[in-house]
Amino acid sequence: MTRLLGRLPRIEVDCDALGRPSRLRWEGWSEPVEVCNQWRVEEAWWRHPIRRDYYKVAGPRLLALVYRDGADGTWHLERVYD
């Protein structure tokens, strides 16, 4: 089961040498993670372009989906897996 987060909170992310998430920080919480899968979404170029690099990440207490917004470089937590 997963929880899709409605407001897609901004998070802080430390990245490895390849630019992939290696640690997530959010509201005083921090956890090292490893990337399980990654992909890019680019769509709606005719209206307001969306470009996101998605990463499914796993840590000691967390399995989540995060993305980096290609427009402004911010990181967001989109989904948490139970």
Coordinates of all heavy atoms in Angstrom, one line a residue:
M1 N 0.8 -1.2 0.0 CA 0.0 0.0 0.0 C 0.9 1.2 0.0 O 2.0 1.2 0.6 CB -0.9 0.0 1.2 CG -1.9 1.0 1.3 SD -2.9 0.6 2.7 CE -4.3 1.5 2.5
T2 N 0.4 2.3 -0.6 CA 1.2 3.5 -0.6 C 0.3 4.7 -0.2 O -0.9 4.6 -0.2 CB 1.7 3.8 -2.1 OG1 0.6 4.1 -2.9 CG2 2.5 2.7 -2.6
R3 N 1.0 5.8 0.2 CA 0.4 7.0 0.5 C 0.9 8.1 -0.4 O 2.1 8.4 -0.4 CB 0.7 7.4 2.0 CG 0.0 6.6 3.0 CD 0.3 7.0 4.4 NE 1.7 6.6 4.6 CZ 2.6 7.1 5.5 NH1 2.2 8.2 6.2 NH2 3.8 6.7 5.6
L4 N 0.0 8.5 -1.3 CA 0.3 9.6 -2.2 C 0.1 10.9 -1.4 O -0.9 11.2 -0.9 CB -0.6 9.6 -3.4 CG -0.4 10.7 -4.5 CD1 1.1 10.6 -5.1 CD2 -1.4 10.6 -5.6
L5 N 1.2 11.7 -1.4 CA 1.1 12.9 -0.6 C 0.6 14.1 -1.4 O 1.1 14.4 -2.5 CB 2.5 13.3 -0.1 CG 3.2 12.2 0.7 CD1 4.6 12.5 1.1 CD2 2.4 11.8 2.0
G6 N -0.5 14.7 -0.9 CA -1.3 15.7 -1.7 C -0.5 16.9 -2.0 O -0.6 17.5 -3.1
R7 N 0.3 17.4 -1.0 CA 0.9 18.7 -1.3 C 2.4 18.6 -1.8 O 3.0 19.6 -2.0 CB 0.9 19.6 0.0 CG 1.6 19.0 1.2 CD 1.5 19.9 2.4 NE 2.2 19.3 3.5 CZ 3.4 19.5 3.8 NH1 4.2 20.3 3.1 NH2 4.0 18.9 4.9
L8 N 2.9 17.4 -1.9 CA 4.2 17.1 -2.4 C 5.3 18.0 -1.8 O 5.8 18.9 -2.3 CB 4.3 17.3 -4.0 CG 3.2 16.5 -4.8 CD1 3.4 16.8 -6.2 CD2 3.4 15.0 -4.5
P9 N 5.5 17.7 -0.5 CA 6.4 18.6 0.3 C 7.8 18.7 -0.3 O 8.3 17.7 -0.8 CB 6.4 17.9 1.7 CG 6.0 16.5 1.4 CD 5.1 16.6 0.2
R10 N 8.4 19.8 -0.2 CA 9.8 20.0 -0.5 C 10.7 19.3 0.5 O 10.4 19.3 1.7 CB 10.2 21.5 -0.6 CG 9.6 22.1 -1.9 CD 10.0 23.6 -2.0 NE 11.4 23.7 -2.2 CZ 12.0 24.8 -2.5 NH1 11.3 25.9 -2.7 NH2 13.3 24.9 -2.7
I11 N 11.8 18.7 0.0 CA 12.7 18.0 0.9 C 14.1 18.4 0.5 O 14.3 19.0 -0.6 CB 12.6 16.5 0.8 CG1 12.8 16.0 -0.6 CG2 11.2 16.0 1.4 CD1 12.8 14.5 -0.7
E12 N 15.0 18.2 1.4 CA 16.5 18.4 1.1 C 17.1 17.1 0.8 O 16.7 16.1 1.4 CB 17.2 19.0 2.3 CG 16.7 20.4 2.6 CD 17.4 21.0 3.7 OE1 18.7 20.8 3.9 OE2 16.8 21.7 4.5
V13 N 17.9 17.0 -0.3 CA 18.5 15.8 -0.7 C 20.0 16.0 -0.9 O 20.4 16.9 -1.5 CB 17.9 15.3 -2.0 CG1 18.5 14.1 -2.6 CG2 16.3 15.1 -1.9
D14 N 20.8 15.0 -0.3 CA 22.2 14.9 -0.6 C 22.3 14.0 -1.8 O 21.6 12.9 -1.8 CB 23.0 14.4 0.6 CG 23.0 15.4 1.7 OD1 22.8 16.6 1.5 OD2 23.2 14.9 2.9
C15 N 23.2 14.3 -2.7 CA 23.3 13.4 -3.9 C 24.7 12.8 -4.0 O 25.7 13.3 -3.5 CB 23.1 14.2 -5.2 SG 21.4 14.8 -5.3
D16 N 24.8 11.6 -4.7 CA 26.1 11.0 -4.9 C 26.8 11.6 -6.1 O 26.3 12.6 -6.7 CB 25.9 9.5 -5.1 CG 25.1 9.1 -6.3 OD1 24.8 9.9 -7.2 OD2 24.6 7.9 -6.4
A17 N 27.9 11.1 -6.5 CA 28.7 11.6 -7.6 C 27.9 11.7 -9.0 O 28.2 12.4 -9.9 CB 30.0 10.9 -7.8
L18 N 26.9 10.8 -9.1 CA 26.1 10.7 -10.3 C 24.8 11.6 -10.2 O 24.0 11.6 -11.2 CB 25.7 9.3 -10.6 CG 26.8 8.3 -10.8 CD1 26.3 6.9 -10.9 CD2 27.6 8.7 -12.1
G19 N 24.7 12.3 -9.1 CA 23.5 13.2 -9.0 C 22.3 12.5 -8.5 O 21.2 13.1 -8.5
R20 N 22.4 11.3 -8.0 CA 21.3 10.5 -7.5 C 21.2 10.7 -6.0 O 22.2 10.9 -5.3 CB 21.4 9.1 -7.9 CG 21.5 8.8 -9.4 CD 21.7 7.4 -9.7 NE 22.6 6.7 -8.9 CZ 22.8 5.4 -8.8 NH1 22.0 4.7 -9.5 NH2 23.6 4.9 -8.0
P21 N 19.9 10.6 -5.4 CA 19.8 10.8 -4.0 C 20.6 9.8 -3.2 O 20.6 8.6 -3.5 CB 18.3 10.6 -3.8 CG 17.6 10.8 -5.1 CD 18.7 10.4 -6.1
S22 N 21.2 10.3 -2.1 CA 21.9 9.4 -1.2 C 21.4 9.6 0.2 O 21.6 8.7 1.1 CB 23.4 9.6 -1.3 OG 23.8 10.9 -1.0
R23 N 20.8 10.7 0.5 CA 20.3 11.0 1.8 C 19.1 12.0 1.7 O 19.2 13.0 0.9 CB 21.3 11.6 2.8 CG 20.7 12.0 4.1 CD 21.8 12.5 5.1 NE 22.7 11.4 5.5 CZ 22.4 10.5 6.5 NH1 21.2 10.6 7.1 NH2 23.2 9.5 6.8
L24 N 18.0 11.7 2.4 CA 16.8 12.6 2.4 C 16.7 13.3 3.7 O 16.9 12.6 4.8 CB 15.5 11.8 2.1 CG 15.4 10.9 0.9 CD1 14.1 10.3 0.8 CD2 15.7 11.7 -0.4
R25 N 16.3 14.6 3.7 CA 16.1 15.3 5.0 C 14.8 16.1 4.8 O 14.5 16.7 3.8 CB 17.2 16.3 5.2 CG 18.5 15.6 5.7 CD 19.6 16.6 6.1 NE 19.8 17.7 5.2 CZ 20.5 17.6 4.1 NH1 21.0 16.5 3.7 NH2 20.7 18.7 3.3
W26 N 13.9 15.9 5.9 CA 12.6 16.6 5.8 C 12.1 16.7 7.2 O 12.0 15.7 8.0 CB 11.7 15.7 5.0 CG 10.3 16.1 4.9 CD1 9.8 17.4 4.6 CD2 9.1 15.4 5.1 NE1 8.5 17.5 4.6 CE2 8.0 16.2 4.9 CE3 8.9 14.0 5.4 CZ2 6.7 15.8 5.0 CZ3 7.6 13.6 5.5 CH2 6.5 14.5 5.3
E27 N 11.8 17.9 7.6 CA 11.2 18.3 8.9 C 11.9 17.6 10.1 O 11.3 17.0 10.9 CB 9.7 17.9 8.9 CG 8.8 18.6 8.0 CD 7.4 18.3 8.0 OE1 7.0 17.3 8.7 OE2 6.6 19.0 7.4
G28 N 13.2 17.8 10.1 CA 14.1 17.3 11.2 C 14.4 15.9 11.1 O 15.1 15.3 12.0
W29 N 14.0 15.2 10.1 CA 14.2 13.7 9.9 C 15.3 13.6 8.8 O 15.3 14.3 7.9 CB 12.9 13.1 9.6 CG 12.9 11.7 9.0 CD1 13.0 10.6 9.7 CD2 12.8 11.4 7.6 NE1 13.0 9.5 8.8 CE2 12.9 10.0 7.5 CE3 12.7 12.1 6.5 CZ2 12.9 9.3 6.3 CZ3 12.7 11.5 5.3 CH2 12.7 10.1 5.2
S30 N 16.1 12.6 9.0 CA 17.2 12.3 8.0 C 17.4 10.8 7.8 O 17.4 10.1 8.8 CB 18.5 13.0 8.4 OG 19.5 12.7 7.6
E31 N 17.6 10.4 6.6 CA 17.8 9.0 6.4 C 18.6 8.7 5.1 O 18.4 9.3 4.1 CB 16.5 8.2 6.2 CG 16.6 6.8 6.0 CD 15.4 6.0 6.5 OE1 14.6 6.5 7.2 OE2 15.4 4.8 6.1
P32 N 19.7 7.9 5.2 CA 20.4 7.5 4.0 C 19.5 6.6 3.1 O 18.7 5.8 3.7 CB 21.6 6.7 4.6 CG 21.1 6.2 5.9 CD 20.2 7.2 6.4
V33 N 19.7 6.7 1.8 CA 18.8 5.9 0.9 C 19.7 5.4 -0.2 O 20.8 6.0 -0.6 CB 17.7 6.8 0.3 CG1 16.7 7.1 1.4 CG2 18.1 8.0 -0.4
E34 N 19.2 4.4 -0.9 CA 19.8 3.9 -2.1 C 18.7 3.9 -3.2 O 17.5 3.7 -2.9 CB 20.2 2.4 -1.9 CG 21.4 2.3 -1.0 CD 21.9 0.9 -0.9 OE1 21.6 0.1 -1.8 OE2 22.5 0.5 0.1
V35 N 19.1 4.2 -4.4 CA 18.2 4.3 -5.5 C 17.8 2.9 -6.0 O 18.7 2.1 -6.3 CB 18.7 5.2 -6.7 CG1 17.8 5.1 -7.9 CG2 18.9 6.6 -6.2
C36 N 16.5 2.6 -6.1 CA 16.1 1.3 -6.6 C 15.7 1.4 -8.1 O 15.9 0.4 -8.9 CB 14.8 0.8 -5.9 SG 15.0 0.7 -4.1
N37 N 15.2 2.5 -8.5 CA 14.8 2.7 -9.9 C 14.8 4.2 -10.2 O 14.6 5.0 -9.3 CB 13.4 2.1 -10.1 CG 13.0 2.0 -11.5 OD1 13.8 2.3 -12.4 ND2 11.8 1.5 -11.7
Q38 N 14.9 4.6 -11.4 CA 14.8 6.0 -11.8 C 14.3 6.2 -13.2 O 14.5 5.3 -14.0 CB 16.2 6.7 -11.6 CG 17.2 6.3 -12.7 CD 18.6 7.0 -12.4 OE1 19.2 6.6 -11.4 NE2 18.9 7.9 -13.2
W39 N 13.6 7.3 -13.5 CA 13.1 7.6 -14.8 C 12.8 9.1 -14.9 O 12.7 9.8 -13.9 CB 11.8 6.8 -15.1 CG 10.7 7.1 -14.2 CD1 9.6 7.9 -14.5 CD2 10.4 6.5 -12.9 NE1 8.8 7.9 -13.4 CE2 9.2 7.0 -12.5 CE3 11.1 5.6 -12.1 CZ2 8.7 6.7 -11.3 CZ3 10.5 5.2 -10.9 CH2 9.3 5.8 -10.5
R40 N 12.6 9.6 -16.1 CA 12.3 11.0 -16.4 C 11.0 11.1 -17.0 O 10.6 10.3 -17.9 CB 13.4 11.6 -17.3 CG 13.1 13.0 -17.7 CD 14.2 13.7 -18.4 NE 15.3 13.9 -17.4 CZ 16.5 14.2 -17.7 NH1 16.9 14.2 -19.0 NH2 17.4 14.4 -16.8
V41 N 10.2 12.1 -16.6 CA 8.9 12.5 -17.2 C 9.0 13.9 -17.8 O 9.4 14.8 -17.1 CB 7.8 12.4 -16.1 CG1 6.5 13.0 -16.7 CG2 7.7 11.0 -15.6
E42 N 8.7 14.0 -19.1 CA 8.6 15.3 -19.7 C 7.3 15.3 -20.5 O 7.1 14.4 -21.3 CB 9.8 15.4 -20.7 CG 11.1 15.6 -20.0 CD 12.3 15.8 -21.0 OE1 12.8 14.8 -21.5 OE2 12.6 17.0 -21.2
E43 N 6.4 16.2 -20.1 CA 5.1 16.3 -20.8 C 4.6 17.7 -20.7 O 5.1 18.6 -20.1 CB 4.2 15.3 -20.2 CG 3.9 15.6 -18.7 CD 3.0 14.5 -18.1 OE1 3.1 13.4 -18.5 OE2 2.2 14.9 -17.3
A44 N 3.5 17.9 -21.4 CA 2.7 19.1 -21.5 C 3.6 20.3 -21.9 O 3.4 21.4 -21.5 CB 2.0 19.4 -20.1
W45 N 4.4 20.1 -22.9 CA 5.3 21.1 -23.4 C 4.6 22.3 -24.0 O 5.0 23.4 -24.1 CB 6.4 20.5 -24.3 CG 5.7 19.8 -25.5 CD1 5.5 18.4 -25.5 CD2 5.2 20.3 -26.7 NE1 4.9 18.1 -26.7 CE2 4.7 19.2 -27.4 CE3 5.2 21.6 -27.3 CZ2 4.2 19.4 -28.7 CZ3 4.7 21.7 -28.5 CH2 4.2 20.6 -29.2
W46 N 3.4 22.0 -24.5 CA 2.6 23.0 -25.2 C 1.9 24.0 -24.2 O 1.4 25.0 -24.6 CB 1.5 22.4 -26.1 CG 0.6 21.5 -25.3 CD1 -0.6 21.9 -24.8 CD2 0.8 20.1 -25.0 NE1 -1.2 20.8 -24.1 CE2 -0.4 19.7 -24.3 CE3 1.8 19.2 -25.2 CZ2 -0.5 18.4 -23.8 CZ3 1.6 17.9 -24.7 CH2 0.5 17.6 -24.0
R47 N 1.8 23.6 -22.9 CA 1.2 24.5 -22.0 C 2.2 25.0 -21.0 O 2.7 26.1 -21.1 CB 0.1 23.8 -21.2 CG -1.1 23.4 -22.1 CD -2.2 22.7 -21.3 NE -1.6 21.4 -20.9 CZ -2.1 20.7 -20.0 NH1 -3.2 21.0 -19.4 NH2 -1.6 19.5 -19.7
H48 N 2.5 24.2 -20.0 CA 3.5 24.6 -18.9 C 4.3 23.3 -18.8 O 3.9 22.3 -18.2 CB 2.8 24.9 -17.6 CG 3.7 25.2 -16.5 ND1 4.5 26.3 -16.5 CD2 4.0 24.5 -15.4 CE1 5.2 26.3 -15.4 NE2 5.0 25.2 -14.7
P49 N 5.5 23.4 -19.4 CA 6.3 22.2 -19.4 C 6.6 21.6 -18.0 O 6.8 22.3 -17.1 CB 7.6 22.7 -20.0 CG 7.3 23.9 -20.7 CD 6.2 24.5 -20.0
I50 N 6.5 20.2 -18.0 CA 6.9 19.5 -16.8 C 8.1 18.6 -17.1 O 8.0 17.9 -18.1 CB 5.7 18.6 -16.3 CG1 4.6 19.5 -15.9 CG2 6.1 17.7 -15.2 CD1 3.3 18.7 -15.5
R51 N 9.1 18.7 -16.3 CA 10.3 17.9 -16.5 C 10.7 17.4 -15.1 O 11.1 18.3 -14.3 CB 11.4 18.6 -17.2 CG 12.6 17.7 -17.3 CD 13.7 18.3 -18.1 NE 14.8 17.4 -18.2 CZ 16.1 17.8 -18.2 NH1 16.4 19.1 -18.2 NH2 17.0 16.9 -18.3
R52 N 10.6 16.2 -14.8 CA 10.9 15.6 -13.5 C 11.7 14.4 -13.6 O 11.5 13.5 -14.4 CB 9.6 15.3 -12.7 CG 8.7 16.5 -12.4 CD 7.5 16.1 -11.7 NE 6.7 17.2 -11.3 CZ 5.5 17.1 -10.8 NH1 4.9 15.9 -10.6 NH2 4.8 18.2 -10.5
D53 N 12.7 14.3 -12.7 CA 13.5 13.1 -12.6 C 13.1 12.4 -11.4 O 13.2 12.9 -10.3 CB 15.0 13.4 -12.5 CG 15.5 14.1 -13.8 OD1 15.2 13.5 -14.9 OD2 16.2 15.1 -13.7
Y54 N 12.4 11.2 -11.5 CA 11.9 10.4 -10.4 C 12.9 9.4 -10.0 O 13.6 8.8 -10.8 CB 10.6 9.7 -10.9 CG 9.4 10.6 -10.9 CD1 9.0 11.3 -12.0 CD2 8.6 10.7 -9.8 CE1 7.9 12.2 -12.0 CE2 7.5 11.5 -9.7 CZ 7.1 12.2 -10.9 OH 6.0 13.0 -10.8
Y55 N 12.8 9.1 -8.7 CA 13.7 8.1 -8.0 C 12.9 7.4 -7.0 O 12.3 8.0 -6.1 CB 14.9 8.7 -7.3 CG 15.8 9.5 -8.2 CD1 15.6 10.9 -8.5 CD2 16.9 8.9 -8.9 CE1 16.4 11.6 -9.4 CE2 17.7 9.6 -9.7 CZ 17.5 10.9 -10.0 OH 18.3 11.6 -10.8
K56 N 12.8 6.0 -7.1 CA 12.3 5.2 -6.1 C 13.5 4.9 -5.2 O 14.5 4.4 -5.7 CB 11.6 3.9 -6.6 CG 11.0 3.1 -5.5 CD 10.4 1.9 -6.0 CE 9.0 2.2 -6.5 NZ 8.3 0.9 -6.8
V57 N 13.4 5.2 -3.9 CA 14.5 5.1 -3.0 C 14.1 4.2 -1.8 O 13.0 4.2 -1.4 CB 15.1 6.5 -2.5 CG1 15.6 7.3 -3.7 CG2 14.0 7.2 -1.8
A58 N 15.1 3.5 -1.3 CA 14.9 2.7 -0.1 C 16.0 3.0 1.0 O 17.1 3.2 0.6 CB 15.0 1.2 -0.4
G59 N 15.5 3.1 2.2 CA 16.4 3.3 3.3 C 16.1 2.3 4.4 O 15.2 1.5 4.3
P60 N 16.8 2.4 5.6 CA 16.5 1.5 6.7 C 15.1 1.5 7.1 O 14.6 0.4 7.5 CB 17.5 2.0 7.8 CG 18.5 2.8 7.1 CD 17.9 3.4 5.9
R61 N 14.4 2.6 7.1 CA 13.0 2.7 7.6 C 12.0 3.2 6.5 O 10.9 3.5 6.9 CB 12.9 3.6 8.8 CG 13.8 3.1 10.0 CD 13.7 4.1 11.1 NE 13.9 5.5 10.5 CZ 14.9 6.3 10.9 NH1 15.8 6.0 11.7 NH2 15.0 7.5 10.3
L62 N 12.5 3.3 5.3 CA 11.7 4.1 4.3 C 11.8 3.5 2.9 O 12.8 3.1 2.5 CB 12.2 5.5 4.3 CG 11.6 6.5 3.2 CD1 10.2 6.9 3.7 CD2 12.5 7.7 3.0
L63 N 10.6 3.5 2.2 CA 10.6 3.2 0.8 C 9.7 4.3 0.2 O 8.6 4.5 0.7 CB 10.0 1.8 0.5 CG 9.9 1.4 -1.0 CD1 11.2 1.4 -1.6 CD2 9.2 0.1 -1.1
A64 N 10.3 5.1 -0.7 CA 9.6 6.3 -1.1 C 9.8 6.6 -2.6 O 10.8 6.1 -3.2 CB 10.0 7.5 -0.3
L65 N 9.0 7.5 -3.1 CA 9.2 8.1 -4.5 C 9.4 9.5 -4.3 O 8.6 10.3 -3.7 CB 7.9 7.8 -5.3 CG 8.0 8.3 -6.7 CD1 9.1 7.5 -7.5 CD2 6.6 8.1 -7.4
V66 N 10.6 10.0 -4.8 CA 10.9 11.4 -4.8 C 11.2 11.9 -6.2 O 11.5 11.1 -7.1 CB 12.2 11.7 -3.9 CG1 11.9 11.2 -2.4 CG2 13.4 11.0 -4.4
Y67 N 11.2 13.2 -6.4 CA 11.5 13.7 -7.7 C 12.2 15.0 -7.6 O 12.0 15.8 -6.6 CB 10.3 13.8 -8.7 CG 9.3 14.9 -8.4 CD1 9.5 16.2 -8.8 CD2 8.2 14.6 -7.6 CE1 8.6 17.2 -8.6 CE2 7.3 15.6 -7.3 CZ 7.5 16.9 -7.8 OH 6.6 17.9 -7.5
R68 N 13.1 15.3 -8.6 CA 13.7 16.6 -8.8 C 13.0 17.3 -9.9 O 12.9 16.8 -11.0 CB 15.2 16.5 -9.1 CG 15.9 17.8 -9.1 CD 17.4 17.7 -9.5 NE 17.5 17.3 -10.9 CZ 17.3 18.1 -12.0 NH1 17.1 19.4 -11.8 NH2 17.4 17.7 -13.2
D69 N 12.5 18.5 -9.6 CA 11.8 19.4 -10.6 C 12.9 20.0 -11.5 O 13.8 20.7 -11.1 CB 11.1 20.5 -9.9 CG 10.2 21.3 -10.8 OD1 10.6 21.6 -11.9 OD2 9.0 21.5 -10.5
G70 N 12.8 19.7 -12.8 CA 13.8 20.1 -13.8 C 13.7 21.6 -14.0 O 14.6 22.2 -14.5
A71 N 12.6 22.3 -13.7 CA 12.4 23.7 -13.9 C 13.2 24.5 -12.8 O 13.8 25.5 -13.2 CB 10.9 24.1 -13.9
D72 N 13.1 24.1 -11.6 CA 13.7 24.9 -10.5 C 14.7 24.2 -9.7 O 15.3 24.7 -8.8 CB 12.7 25.6 -9.7 CG 11.8 24.6 -8.9 OD1 12.1 23.4 -8.9 OD2 10.8 25.1 -8.4
G73 N 14.9 22.9 -9.9 CA 15.9 22.1 -9.2 C 15.5 21.7 -7.8 O 16.3 21.1 -7.1
T74 N 14.3 21.9 -7.4 CA 13.8 21.5 -6.0 C 13.5 20.1 -6.0 O 13.1 19.5 -7.0 CB 12.6 22.4 -5.6 OG1 11.5 22.2 -6.6 CG2 12.9 23.8 -5.5
W75 N 13.6 19.5 -4.8 CA 13.3 18.1 -4.6 C 12.0 18.0 -3.8 O 11.7 18.8 -3.0 CB 14.4 17.4 -3.8 CG 15.6 17.2 -4.5 CD1 16.7 18.0 -4.7 CD2 16.0 16.0 -5.3 NE1 17.7 17.4 -5.5 CE2 17.2 16.2 -5.8 CE3 15.3 14.8 -5.5 CZ2 17.9 15.2 -6.6 CZ3 15.9 13.8 -6.3 CH2 17.2 14.0 -6.8
H76 N 11.2 17.0 -4.2 CA 9.9 16.8 -3.5 C 9.6 15.3 -3.2 O 10.1 14.4 -3.9 CB 8.7 17.2 -4.5 CG 8.8 18.7 -4.8 ND1 8.2 19.7 -4.1 CD2 9.5 19.3 -5.8 CE1 8.5 20.8 -4.6 NE2 9.3 20.7 -5.6
L77 N 9.0 15.1 -2.1 CA 8.5 13.7 -1.7 C 7.1 13.5 -2.2 O 6.2 14.3 -1.9 CB 8.5 13.6 -0.2 CG 8.1 12.3 0.5 CD1 9.0 11.2 0.0 CD2 8.1 12.5 2.0
E78 N 6.9 12.5 -3.1 CA 5.6 12.3 -3.7 C 4.8 11.2 -3.1 O 3.6 11.3 -3.0 CB 5.8 12.1 -5.2 CG 4.4 11.9 -5.9 CD 4.5 11.9 -7.4 OE1 5.0 12.9 -8.0 OE2 4.2 10.9 -8.0
R79 N 5.5 10.1 -2.7 CA 4.8 8.9 -2.3 C 5.6 8.2 -1.3 O 6.9 8.1 -1.4 CB 4.5 8.0 -3.5 CG 3.7 6.8 -3.3 CD 3.5 6.0 -4.5 NE 2.8 6.8 -5.6 CZ 1.5 6.8 -5.8 NH1 0.7 6.0 -5.1 NH2 1.0 7.5 -6.7
V80 N 5.0 7.6 -0.3 CA 5.6 6.8 0.7 C 5.0 5.4 0.7 O 3.7 5.3 0.7 CB 5.5 7.4 2.2 CG1 6.1 6.5 3.2 CG2 6.1 8.8 2.2
Y81 N 5.8 4.4 0.6 CA 5.3 3.0 0.5 C 5.2 2.4 1.9 O 6.2 2.5 2.6 CB 6.1 2.2 -0.4 CG 6.1 2.6 -1.8 CD1 7.0 3.6 -2.3 CD2 5.3 2.1 -2.8 CE1 7.0 4.1 -3.6 CE2 5.2 2.5 -4.1 CZ 6.1 3.5 -4.5 OH 6.1 3.9 -5.8
D82 N 4.1 1.8 2.2 CA 4.0 1.1 3.5 C 4.7 -0.3 3.5 O 4.8 -0.9 2.5 CB 2.5 0.9 3.9 CG 1.9 2.3 4.1 OD1 2.6 3.2 4.5 OD2 0.6 2.3 4.0

